[in-house]
Amino acid sequence: MDRATASPQGSSPGGPPELEDLLRRVAHGEEQAFNRVYDLLGPTVYGLIRRVLRDPAQSEEVAQDVLVEVWRSACRYDPRRGSPQAWVMTLAHRRAVDRVRSEQAATDRESRAAAADTERPYDEVAEQATDRLERERVRRCLENLTEVQEQSVRLAFYGGYTYRDVARLLSTPLGTIKTRMRDGLIRLRDCLGVEW
C-alpha cells in the first residue's frame, strides 16, 4: 500500500477541514480529490485495520477495498451524521471485522471437515450383514401373515399408502383394512420378538 505508508498531514480527530469538500468532489468522480483523500486517510485506515487483523498483507488488501468503497460510495456520505473521517473509519472497521468473521468461519469449516475425516468409520460390512439379516427376518415374518394382512402391511409401510389408499387398492372396506393391518402388525410384533 504505497500511499498508506505516508504520514497524514495536519489531520485532526475529525479529519482535515477540507475532507468534507474532497468527499463531495470524489462523489462527482474527481480523481485528484480521491488521490488527496487517499493520501490523507490511507495511513489511518490501514492502521485501524492492522490493529484488527494483525496480518500486514490482509490489512493492505482490506484497506485497499475500503478506499475503493470510499471512491464508489462517496455520494452516501452525510455530513449531518458525523465527520468524513468517522464515516471512512466506520467503513474500515466494519470491513476488518467482516474479514475476521470470514476467516473464523473458514477455520471452523476446516476444523469440522478435519474432525469428520478423523472420525472412526463404521464397519460397513457388518452394517450390511446386519441389515440383510433384519430384512430376512421381516420377510419371513411377513410370510406368516394372511394374504390381505401381508398386502395391506406392504402397501402401507413399503408403498407409503394411507389406510384409505390401501382399502381402495385392495377393493376392501376401510374398517376391514384397519382391522387386518392391526392384526397383521400384532403378528409381526410377536414374530419379531419386539416389545411395545
Side-chain angles (χ1 to χ4, degrees), residues 3 14 21-22 41 67 79 105-106 116 120 125 134 140 145 159 170 173 179 184-185 187-188 191:
R3 295 180 183 181
D21 179 54
L22 287 170
L41 294 181
L67 290 165
R120 186 174 175 191
V125 175
E134 287 177 7
R140 276 196 317 267
L145 302 178
L170 297 179
T179 301
L185 291 173
R187 288 179 71 179
L188 275 175
C191 178

Side-chain angles (χ1 to χ4, degrees), residues 32-63:
Q32 287 179 335
F34 176 71
N35 288 339
R36 181 73 178 130
V37 169
Y38 195 109
D39 289 339
L40 290 170
L41 294 181
T44 312
V45 166
Y46 176 77
L48 172 71
I49 293 170
R50 177 75 191 270
R51 280 191 303 276
V52 174
L53 296 180
R54 291 188 169 66
D55 179 279
Q58 280 194 34
S59 298
E60 282 188 20
E61 183 182 325
V62 173

Side-chain angles (χ1 to χ4, degrees), residues 115-125 127:
D117 287 345
T118 59
E119 288 179 5
R120 186 174 175 191
Y122 68 96
D123 187 348
E124 216 173 300
V125 175
E127 182 80 22

Side-chain angles (χ1 to χ4, degrees), residues 56-77:
Q58 280 194 34
S59 298
E60 282 188 20
E61 183 182 325
V62 173
Q64 289 290 344
D65 290 346
V66 168
L67 290 165
V68 168
E69 185 176 350
V70 168
W71 169 254
R72 290 182 180 155
S73 62
C75 59
R76 284 193 245 147
Y77 167 66

Side-chain angles (χ1 to χ4, degrees), residues 140-172:
R140 276 196 317 267
C141 289
L142 280 171
E143 289 173 355
N144 292 330
L145 302 178
T146 66
E147 187 177 337
V148 176
Q149 288 173 339
E150 181 183 355
Q151 287 175 333
S152 300
V153 169
R154 284 185 186 274
L155 286 170
F157 288 97
Y158 296 120
Y161 292 103
T162 64
Y163 285 126
R164 285 189 195 292
D165 294 336
V166 172
R168 187 176 35 78
L169 289 169
L170 297 179
S171 301
T172 307

